[in-house]
Amino acid sequence: MVTAVRISLSSVASRAAAVVMMLLLSSACQAQLSSTFYDNTCPNALRTIRTAIRSAIARERRMAASLIRLHFHDCFVQGCDASILLDNSPSITSEKFVIQNNNSARGYEVIDQAKSAVENVCPGVVSCADILAVAARDASEYVGGPSWTVKLGRRDSTTASPSLASRDLPRFTDSLESLLSLFGTKGLSARDMVALSGSHTIGQAQCVTFRDRIYSNGSDIDAGFASTRRRNCPTTANGNGNLAPLDLVTPNSFDNNYFKNLLQKKGLLQSDQVLFSGGSTDSIVSEYSRTPSTFSSDFASAMIKMGDIEPLTGSSGIIRRICSAVN
Ligand code: HEM
């Protein structure tokens, strides 16, 4: 009798364990992003986003760079949840004004335009976080960079975190060790980090971010390059916002020139040059400088990996009606 009760108890326990396992598995499946996420609910989502992004980049080519960076600055702060897009409000303290974003991150209005175009075709379905991820891919493709299949199904946060933004977004003064450790905390390897930094093959930086480096007279910067850059970046603070291309050779096309520059000590930011300055990532930089196809495919894989950082899925988060505010 006792044995029978024990047997049935143990079979109840094992059934319960099986149910728990199934629940865990199904929530894990639910939590996964998928490229077909909107196929039934908003079949025109991708086409609509693409049209908005392409027309914005056609108006201003630099926008491609700004949109790739916006997705990055979203994903590194509490995951890819569009938290970067939230404006200040009574319940939100925006991430837009932390030092790494303030007067620097741009493209917010382009995401708003894409969102309103998508809302016209399928209201309340497509998240701002997914629009950021798709915009980054479309931007890369438009300026001659790699393309990839974007996984979808992220939802939007109801919170923003300036303190996490200031902690988790890299700074141009960071050492190679701190950058590696920061990217590591986001599940990204040294190779991912170097590949992703290759997006500095397009876009611009402000004088304030590279002034110390070009006036350093250090041995890790090409003297001719430093003197050219000084012409438009005076030592006085009124030149702080003057722009220079991150890739001096082909600033408008997405290629592997960024890595060739690093080999010649012509990285604009200190955080660029640390990737090739006698440290552990030198060999990756050399490889990408020699083999553009490897850079392209590694960049695409790393962007997919970055887009996977802590998404809100299932019933977590919301689909914002406008990207800059919580519904
Ligand atoms: C490794 C650490 C990184 C640091 C320290 C860093 C820092 C910076 C800085 C200081 C600027 C110039 C901003 C300005 O002057 O307003 C910049 C621009 C840019 N960054 Fe990074 N970045 C890093 C990694 C990345 C990654 C991983 C991506 C993309 C996945 C990226 C994409 C861009 C792009 C495309 C621009 C040009 C933006 C524009 O022209 O609007 N960066 N970055």
Side-chain angles (χ1 to χ4, degrees), residues 163-219:
S163 57
L164 287 180
S166 105
R167 188 193 72 183
D168 287 357
L169 293 172
R171 296 168 189 241
F172 55 86
T173 45
D174 284 347
S175 65
L176 178 60
E177 286 63 38
S178 343
L179 291 173
L180 287 170
S181 129
L182 175 59
F183 278 68
T185 62
K186 304 293 174 189
L188 298 169
S189 66
R191 215 175 158 83
D192 294 326
M193 185 179 92
V194 175
L196 290 172
S197 300
S199 53
H200 288 182
T201 176
I202 52 171
Q204 313 260 332
Q206 304 176 57
C207 167
V208 67
T209 67
F210 58 84
R211 180 185 284 122
D212 286 353
R213 172 161 160 75
I214 60 174
Y215 286 97
S216 66
N217 292 316
S219 61

Side-chain angles (χ1 to χ4, degrees), residues 24-285:
L24 280 176
L25 277 173
S26 78
S27 73
C29 291
Q30 197 183 37
Q32 264 181 15
L33 304 177
S34 142
S35 61
T36 57
F37 191 79
Y38 297 117
D39 279 9
N40 295 324
T41 52
C42 190
N44 286 326
L46 294 189
R47 204 172 316 146
T48 309
I49 298 169
R50 188 182 154 93
T51 305
I53 300 307
R54 291 180 76 90
S55 79
I57 303 172
R59 283 196 299 275
E60 190 211 2
R61 195 148 169 111
R62 180 185 173 197
M63 191 49 71
S66 308
L67 291 171
I68 292 173
R69 186 171 189 231
L70 212 48
H71 178 45
F72 162 49
H73 281 208
D74 176 31
C75 292
F76 264 49
V77 183
Q78 61 180 37
C80 310
D81 61 356
S83 59
I84 190 173
L85 303 179
L86 289 173
D87 281 335
N88 277 331
S89 76
S91 64
I92 297 289
T93 310
S94 178
E95 293 166 13
K96 293 182 179 179
F97 307 103
V98 303
I99 190 143
Q100 299 94 324
N101 288 334
N102 194 26
N103 291 322
S104 176
R106 57 200 294 281
Y108 301 113
E109 69 293 345
V110 174
I111 299 299
D112 288 342
Q113 285 153 12
K115 172 67 170 173
S116 78
V118 174
E119 287 295 292
N120 283 337
V121 290
C122 11
V125 174
V126 180
S127 68
C128 300
D130 277 346
I131 293 176
L132 281 168
V134 173
R137 186 275 313 271
D138 291 347
S140 167
E141 190 184 295
Y142 192 90
V143 295
S147 190
W148 57 92
T149 303
V150 180
K151 292 201 258 165
L152 302 162
R154 300 168 191 81
R155 291 166 66 84
D156 300 325
S157 71
T158 52
T159 61
S161 177
S163 57
L164 287 180
S166 105
R167 188 193 72 183
D168 287 357
L169 293 172
R171 296 168 189 241
F172 55 86
T173 45
D174 284 347
S175 65
L176 178 60
E177 286 63 38
S178 343
L179 291 173
L180 287 170
S181 129
L182 175 59
F183 278 68
T185 62
K186 304 293 174 189
L188 298 169
S189 66
R191 215 175 158 83
D192 294 326
M193 185 179 92
V194 175
L196 290 172
S197 300
S199 53
H200 288 182
T201 176
I202 52 171
Q204 313 260 332
Q206 304 176 57
C207 167
V208 67
T209 67
F210 58 84
R211 180 185 284 122
D212 286 353
R213 172 161 160 75
I214 60 174
Y215 286 97
S216 66
N217 292 316
S219 61
D220 69 338
I221 184 162
D222 176 87
F225 171 68
S227 103
T228 311
R229 283 290 155 253
R230 282 182 207 148
R231 274 185 232 142
N232 195 37
C233 181
T235 48
T236 54
N238 62 9
N240 277 356
N242 293 1
L243 293 172
L246 282 153
D247 167 9
L248 74 158
V249 186
T250 53
N252 286 320
S253 56
F254 198 108
D255 53 25
N256 70 333
N257 243 306
Y258 168 79
F259 300 105
K260 295 184 181 168
N261 297 335
L262 297 185
L263 258 51
Q264 299 168 41
K265 302 183 179 182
K266 293 178 181 170
L268 186 61
L269 306 177
Q270 186 192 306
S271 52
D272 291 322
Q273 199 59 57
V274 294
L275 302 180
F276 189 83
S277 56
S280 60
T281 49
D282 280 22
S283 56
I284 312 173
V285 171

